Amino acid sequence: MATTSLTRSQLAARSTVAMKAVMAVSGLIMIGYLLAHMYGNLKVFAGQQAFDDYAHHLRTLGEPILPYGGALWIIRIVLLVAVVAHAYSAIALWRRDRAARGGTTRYASSRAKRGVQRSYASFTLRWGGIIIILFVIYHLLHLTWNVSAPGGASASPYERLINGFSIWWLVLAYTIAMLAVGLHLRHGVWSALTTLGANTSPLARRRLNLLAYAATIVITGGFLLIPFSILFGVVS
């Protein structure tokens, strides 16, 4: 019985390590996508022709080896797999952690009444993830599939962007979503690189913190620069 119990314990530990690794790798894939997507979106500052050409080029990427839109679908599938793997591993780890604590909340301290080892970013990961998922669905309906058209429909991706972000409440919703992304990034970058073995010393820990903050500021700031530039007439 003891041997069986030990074996089960070892298997559970290995499973937990594997899920943390899956969560880390899938998270880094999504961060890479965010950086590439932000870079493409910043082409809005080069004007309508440059932005629309970029949007069109995404669909012709890889031709003639790949069919029209083929590379874009490969990117979408990889991203979808990463999102599903990330969400599944996050939920599984949360349930396992909760079961290990007997379903109780984390023990509190005078400095962290909701439980220790819980920063504001980590506390909002679950709800932030839900906000991000809902935002991504609407974002696709609006700017990718042209189903929702606040401000007016258009065949031009540039015009859809301008029409949408000329509306203050849409910019506000976008800002809330991107702040949720920022909180997710701040904790996620540090956690992912720690899981993959980068947190090896106090110096490495400080560097990871700096990297996490830098990634958060660059990605969140880069995405928010566009709607506010449109809203205040810098881009039109």
Side-chain angles (χ1 to χ4, degrees):
M1 292 295 292
T3 303
T4 303
S5 177
L6 180 61
T7 302
R8 287 176 180 173
S9 180
Q10 288 176 332
L11 288 174
R14 289 180 181 179
S15 174
T16 297
V17 170
M19 280 190 289
K20 286 183 177 180
V22 168
M23 192 173 179
V25 172
S26 60
L28 292 177
I29 289 172
M30 288 187 283
I31 291 171
Y33 172 79
L34 283 174
L35 285 168
H37 189 41
M38 181 194 70
Y39 169 78
N41 283 356
L42 289 174
K43 287 186 176 292
V44 72
F45 292 102
Q48 180 171 356
Q49 187 65 49
F51 189 83
D52 285 350
D53 285 348
Y54 158 73
H56 176 71
H57 178 67
L58 288 176
R59 288 159 176 78
T60 60
L61 193 66
E63 287 186 339
I65 297 175
L66 295 174
Y68 179 81
L72 195 55
W73 274 108
I74 291 173
I75 293 171
R76 287 169 177 165
I77 291 170
V78 170
L79 187 62
L80 180 61
V81 171
V83 169
V84 171
H86 195 76
Y88 174 80
S89 55
I91 293 170
L93 287 168
W94 173 73
R95 286 179 174 173
R96 185 167 296 185
D97 181 57
R98 185 176 176 83
R101 291 183 279 109
T104 60
T105 57
R106 301 185 183 195
Y107 59 92
S109 71
S110 59
R111 294 183 61 188
K113 295 184 179 180
R114 295 189 177 186
V116 298
Q117 297 176 339
R118 176 176 284 188
S119 66
Y120 183 70
S122 64
F123 178 70
T124 56
L125 280 181
R126 281 200 305 279
W127 293 111
I130 293 172
I131 292 172
I132 293 167
I133 289 171
L134 293 175
F135 166 73
V136 167
I137 293 171
Y138 178 77
H139 192 63
L140 290 170
L141 291 172
H142 176 204
L143 295 175
T144 301
W145 298 327
N146 202 18
V147 174
S148 175
S154 175
S156 165
Y158 181 89
E159 290 181 358
R160 291 201 297 274
L161 199 68
I162 298 297
N163 294 344
F165 288 139
S166 296
I167 303 172
W168 71 268
W169 58 261
L170 190 61
V171 174
L172 177 61
Y174 189 87
T175 301
I176 293 171
M178 289 312 304
L179 290 176
V181 170
L183 288 172
H184 217 81
L185 280 170
R186 164 62 191 92
H187 181 79
V189 170
W190 188 91
S191 181
L193 294 176
T194 296
T195 296
L196 297 176
N199 191 355
T200 56
S201 66
L203 177 60
R205 191 172 302 114
R206 287 195 296 272
R207 288 175 175 172
L208 283 182
N209 272 318
L210 288 174
L211 180 60
Y213 277 115
T216 300
I217 292 170
V218 169
I219 293 176
T220 306
F223 274 107
L224 287 179
L225 182 63
I226 298 163
F228 280 99
S229 294
I230 293 171
L231 184 65
F232 292 114
V234 176
V235 176
S236 59

